[in-house]
Amino acid sequence: MKVIMAESYEDMSRRVAEIIASQISCKPKSVLGFATGSTPCGSYGELIRMYNEGKISFEDIIAFNLDEYCGLDGNDMESYHYFMKKNLFEFVNIQEKNIHIPNGRCKDIENECINYEKKIEEAGSIDLQLLGIGENGHIGFNEPDVKFEAHTHLVTLEEKTLKANSKFFNSYEEVPKTAISMGIKTIMNAKKILLLGSGEKKAEVLNKMIYGEITPNLPASILQLHSDVSIIVDKEAGKLLKKQV
Ligand code: F6R
């Protein structure tokens, strides 16, 4: 694992955007795995800036998002469909047909998960997967006690996650209790992984994830076994980390 210490959230966002831009430049038809949440917002802002300056094009990239809440429609402001639209997709030249996010309103969840996995496979697997990390060690919505062998699946969210994510809703009660998430196996199949961490709240979990035991109780710890993982943190999130692992 490579650990990159950024000076600040802005510096982290710039570096993440540069890595994504270089991936797109080397391979314009890249398959990119996107994340939602607070952490990647700055990086998406930087990507939009680079796009506006004519430095990158999203025309041929294929996007797969990590997860979506069950029960939310793409037009719901709290859905991850809406999040991606408003934080990135609406502002760049990505083609609608190349955007993939699990359908939280599907009638048959099992079928949706199988199809999602099939689409990733057909696209030729993910070239670069962006990840955030939950305070409980989740990646995507793979909560502690996850099955490492799981592909895209239905997950039940932990109270800690519901509380953390209630910042995006009017109240805690409104946060959906279940979601469809890429599984650990799906994430581990990505060729490159870029995990972002920002803020003091993430310092302890990042330390455990990198130097601690590999255990389903801390889902992100499995990334120790991936051959190409970069972790980019700001000063607060990285305060317990050594520079290189
Ligand atoms: C988002 C996702 C989650 C978040 C994590 C951190 O698609 O799958 O794993 O990356 O919960 O969220 P923030 O960035 O809001 O702290």
Side-chain angles (χ1 to χ4, degrees), residues 177-193:
K177 310 284 179 285
T178 54
I180 296 174
S181 175
M182 280 187 195
I184 294 290
K185 191 85 188 226
T186 326
I187 293 170
M188 288 296 278
N189 280 341
K191 290 172 194 149
K192 278 187 211 152
I193 293 177

Side-chain angles (χ1 to χ4, degrees), residues 34-40 65-67 80 131-135 138-141 161 164-165 167-168 181 198 202:
F34 287 107
T36 58
S38 313
T39 318
N65 259 76
L66 280 167
D67 39 25
Y80 287 164
L131 295 175
I133 184 166
E135 285 169 55
H138 76 209
I139 45 176
F141 269 145
T161 301
N165 287 8
K167 65 186 170 194
F168 297 111
S181 175
S198 169
K202 302 289 171 73

Side-chain angles (χ1 to χ4, degrees), residues 61-76:
I61 76 123
I62 301 171
F64 284 93
N65 259 76
L66 280 167
D67 39 25
E68 179 59 285
Y69 290 112
C70 287
L72 296 194
D73 178 83
N75 292 318
D76 281 318

Side-chain angles (χ1 to χ4, degrees), residues 14 54 231:
R14 242 185 333 265
I231 295 153

Side-chain angles (χ1 to χ4, degrees), residues 36-210:
T36 58
S38 313
T39 318
C41 286
S43 308
Y44 295 156
E46 283 296 312
L47 286 173
I48 294 169
R49 184 183 58 76
M50 286 172 153
Y51 167 74
N52 286 333
E53 289 171 358
K55 290 183 179 152
I56 46 170
S57 168
F58 288 78
E59 195 172 2
D60 294 323
I61 76 123
I62 301 171
F64 284 93
N65 259 76
L66 280 167
D67 39 25
E68 179 59 285
Y69 290 112
C70 287
L72 296 194
D73 178 83
N75 292 318
D76 281 318
M77 281 163 73
E78 296 83 8
S79 74
Y80 287 164
H81 278 78
Y82 193 84
F83 176 98
M84 287 310 296
K85 201 162 131 189
K86 293 293 166 191
N87 282 282
L88 181 64
F89 295 156
E90 195 171 84
F91 303 100
V92 296
N93 62 340
I94 187 167
Q95 298 186 59
E96 192 69 35
K97 69 174 174 67
N98 289 340
I99 296 174
H100 304 90
I101 305 177
N103 177 4
R105 290 287 289 271
C106 63
K107 291 216 171 71
D108 182 343
I109 291 182
E110 208 182 312
N111 202 34
E112 174 68 13
C113 294
I114 292 170
N115 278 340
Y116 200 66
E117 208 60 47
K118 226 187 244 166
K119 281 183 208 154
I120 296 175
E121 221 179 278
E122 279 164 16
S125 89
I126 293 169
D127 290 302
L128 177 62
Q129 176 66 54
L130 212 59
L131 295 175
I133 184 166
E135 285 169 55
N136 63 359
H138 76 209
I139 45 176
F141 269 145
N142 295 285
E143 301 284 45
D145 281 334
V146 69
K147 288 192 170 49
F148 282 151
E149 64 277 19
H151 288 98
T152 300
H153 59 157
L154 173 69
V155 293
T156 301
L157 304 178
E158 270 200 349
E159 200 178 322
K160 212 170 183 176
T161 301
L162 297 175
K163 276 196 184 133
N165 287 8
S166 62
K167 65 186 170 194
F168 297 111
F169 291 80
N170 291 323
S171 68
Y172 170 85
E173 287 69 37
E174 279 182 27
V175 189
K177 310 284 179 285
T178 54
I180 296 174
S181 175
M182 280 187 195
I184 294 290
K185 191 85 188 226
T186 326
I187 293 170
M188 288 296 278
N189 280 341
K191 290 172 194 149
K192 278 187 211 152
I193 293 177
L194 201 54
L195 185 141
L196 284 56
S198 169
E200 201 167 351
K201 277 186 183 168
K202 302 289 171 73
E204 202 180 312
V205 74
L206 283 164
N207 189 38
K208 282 192 192 152
M209 165 207 152
I210 300 170

